[in-house]
Amino acid sequence: MCGIAGFVNLDGAPADERVLSAMTDALKHRGPDDCATLCTALRSGTPGVGLGFQRLSILDLSVHGRQPMTGESVHVLFNGEIYNALDLQPELERGGYRFRGRSDAEVVLALYQRHGIDGLVARLDGMFAIVIADARDGVVHLVRDHFGIKPLYWTQCGESVLFASEAKAFLAHPKFHAEIDESLVDELLAFRYIAGESALLKGVRHVAPGHRVTITPAGVETTRYWSIPDEPTLPLTHEEAVAQLGDLLHASVRSQLRSDVEVGCQLSGGVDSSLVAVLAGGVDAFSIVFDEAKFSEERWIVEAAAVAGAASHRFRFDAGAFIGALDAASWHMDQPIGHPNSLALWLLAQRSREHVTVLLSGEGADELFAGYARFTAAAVTGGDAFIRATQFHSEARLAKLRPGADLRPAIDKRRALFLEGQGDHLSNCVKYEMRTHLVDLLARQDRMMMAHGIENRVPFLDLRLVRFARALPSEQLAGKAIVKRLARRHFDSAFVDRRKWGFNLPIGQYFRAPRFVELMEERLLPGMASRGLVDVSVVRRWWRRALSAPSTTEGFWIPVALELWAQRFIDRR
């Protein structure tokens, strides 16, 4: 929901309205319903702050929901949804605030005016990226939600601090120059994404989940306001735990159905999205299917939609759709597309937008409830082994692709993230997964959906539900045991206990399509050769092998995704 862009000139230089408008226009896809900009000042200084907003209207479609929203020398930009907004309003009204409309942005404004930045973040439950420019205190705050559901980037260029929902907005600022941070390329090639606050564009950083960034004329400071909890174990029987999960998930789904526009469910046919669809009570379901029976979950999608009482919209994905979306999706992703199935999400959002503006998904359940196979081995292996279980290329294979590659900085960074956990080993593995892999998956969901003006909501990442999951003993957590028990209340064992397949594509077939062969030979391989980040002879060898051996096709996807992204962001093709 919506796009944020802007900057703070620390030296007080006047804000350039043309630059601000260009940065904001770069995010028009995130908010096609309205656009506004504001140049303002901190305290009595020169108007050196620019605030831009692209609006996707979800709640309060009236002018009362317009942003930037202003009150008592405080200006707010807000992207997301506050799930407990209705619970927060009565206290604010008793304190004397008079609401003009029904938007969550106004709740944020009122909370900040009454409680300040610490009181604000302590009260919010939802997904959000927030910018608050407070002329009274001479400060700009950037705030990101607890799990990183909504994006917020920032970078400093000389005396200007830029911020935006997507890094592409920075390209419109004359002080920003797009370069690849080559120190992060090894991590990208090995893991398919970069963990932590850094981005592949040099100097660009994420506001980390559960963090806020404070900008004053004196500089920039980062503060952590929330951490994934390590809760004491709850003494619950299996049935008590399932009942609590059912109540919490149902409450989360109901709260996330709040909208003044049409809402649907993103239904993959898996247990998690199917549970969300059932609890959503019959809203339309939207799915990707394939002609290839080995890859298509259509049978389970149809069954889940029937149980949920939902109209099923199924869109077929093929090589033409895959290749046709490569360039545009690489632009919208802001980073190399680590997961090829992101292209299927692109089509899902594009076609779903004809019917709805909001989609609920089952994202987050596998990470929160230890649903991946690597969690099974986690009980008998150490932290480093779990970290390396998410590695896509071994050091030996990476050394062939990129001679001189050094993964030690990436492993050290990830080890530090793993060691934040204070629970048992499985709990620590879950916490690490939520701090790393989940953040990357949420970025994929946000970019592919918002490219078409679709807001993605994730009921499994409700704060109360997460606290509950973090207090479960290992036997109820591992393998999503408790989630499957809940699912058996609605689906038979054949549906619930089938082998986990994931969202896989017949990618070998797509890579052998004539259009993709042409793309590789005429654009991507020559581009890699001139860029010099990888040994193009190795990529070509893997490419030739993939043309005849389907099982090896994904081996060269990451350098391909890197080159596609670089041609859009660095070369500006």
Side-chain angles (χ1 to χ4, degrees), residues 64 67 136 144 161 169 232 264 267 300 332 359 364 366 374 411 435 458 473 489 513 563:
H64 297 301
Q67 299 184 46
R136 304 169 307 178
R144 193 173 179 202
V161 178
L267 180 59
W300 307 110
H332 280 281
L359 284 176
D366 280 313
R374 56 181 171 269
I411 297 296
R435 294 272 281 124
V458 280
R489 294 183 173 185
E563 182 59 27

Side-chain angles (χ1 to χ4, degrees), residues 70-327:
T70 299
E72 297 179 12
S73 300
V74 174
H75 310 283
V76 169
L77 301 176
F78 171 77
N79 170 33
E81 303 292 339
I82 304 302
Y83 304 137
N84 61 337
L86 293 177
D87 299 328
L88 294 167
Q89 287 183 11
E91 178 229 341
L92 293 166
E93 289 172 331
R94 287 193 298 270
Y97 189 88
R98 295 293 174 260
F99 283 90
R100 294 163 289 182
R102 299 182 300 105
S103 72
D104 289 356
E106 191 172 6
V107 172
V108 170
L109 174 63
L111 281 171
Y112 179 79
Q113 290 176 331
R114 182 171 177 80
H115 298 290
I117 189 63
D118 291 327
L120 167 70
V121 297
R123 287 166 170 81
L124 295 182
D125 180 7
M127 56 180 193
F128 49 84
I130 302 170
V131 176
I132 299 173
D134 186 344
R136 304 169 307 178
D137 295 337
V139 65
V140 173
H141 300 289
L142 313 179
V143 187
R144 193 173 179 202
D145 67 61
H146 309 78
F147 308 108
I149 304 169
K150 286 292 154 191
L152 191 56
Y153 293 88
W154 70 277
T155 188
Q156 185 163 356
C157 303
E159 292 299 310
S160 296
V161 178
L162 321 183
F163 50 84
S165 296
E166 297 179 10
K168 62 180 62 63
F170 299 155
L171 301 176
H173 197 287
K175 290 184 180 179
F176 181 80
H177 303 287
E179 297 179 61
I180 294 175
D181 188 338
E182 294 195 23
S183 70
L184 298 173
V185 170
D186 293 336
E187 181 180 6
L188 174 77
L189 294 172
F191 288 93
R192 297 208 264 192
Y193 67 96
I194 296 162
E197 299 177 29
S198 298
L200 193 58
L201 284 171
K202 184 177 290 186
V204 173
R205 302 177 71 81
H206 303 271
V207 177
H211 285 66
R212 58 180 175 87
V213 171
T214 303
I215 307 167
T216 68
V220 181
E221 182 180 350
T222 297
T223 303
R224 190 177 205 165
Y225 71 83
W226 188 85
S227 298
I228 297 168
D230 296 299
E231 300 281 358
T233 302
L234 287 170
L236 298 175
T237 67
H238 287 298
E239 288 309 311
E240 289 171 337
V242 171
Q244 282 203 30
L245 173 62
D247 290 344
L248 288 167
L249 184 58
H250 187 257
S252 177
V253 170
R254 300 312 298 178
S255 72
Q256 296 190 31
L257 288 171
R258 179 174 168 248
S259 173
D260 291 332
V261 294
E262 291 297 320
V263 180
C265 283
Q266 179 181 324
L267 180 59
S268 69
V271 167
D272 311 324
S273 65
S274 298
L275 266 176
V276 170
V278 167
L279 296 176
V283 302
D284 284 11
F286 299 86
S287 311
I288 288 292
V289 295
F290 307 95
D291 289 326
E292 298 81 4
K294 177 182 177 182
F295 294 90
S296 187
E297 297 271 71
E298 189 163 14
R299 168 192 169 186
W300 307 110
I301 289 167
V302 170
E303 180 175 337
V307 172
S312 177
H313 304 262
R314 302 188 295 279
F315 311 122
R316 298 202 172 273
F317 191 77
D318 58 18
F322 178 82
I323 297 163
L326 281 172
D327 278 315

Side-chain angles (χ1 to χ4, degrees), residues 419-433:
L419 293 175
E420 288 183 2
Q422 300 298 311
D424 63 29
H425 185 63
L426 180 60
S427 174
N428 294 344
C429 290
V430 167
K431 189 170 188 174
Y432 170 83
E433 193 82 0

Side-chain angles (χ1 to χ4, degrees), residues 519-539:
L519 176 68
M520 281 291 293
E521 296 290 357
E522 295 187 5
R523 237 185 72 191
L524 299 182
L525 290 173
M528 292 178 206
S530 62
R531 204 171 307 281
L533 293 176
V534 296
D535 186 335
V536 72
S537 67
V538 173
V539 178

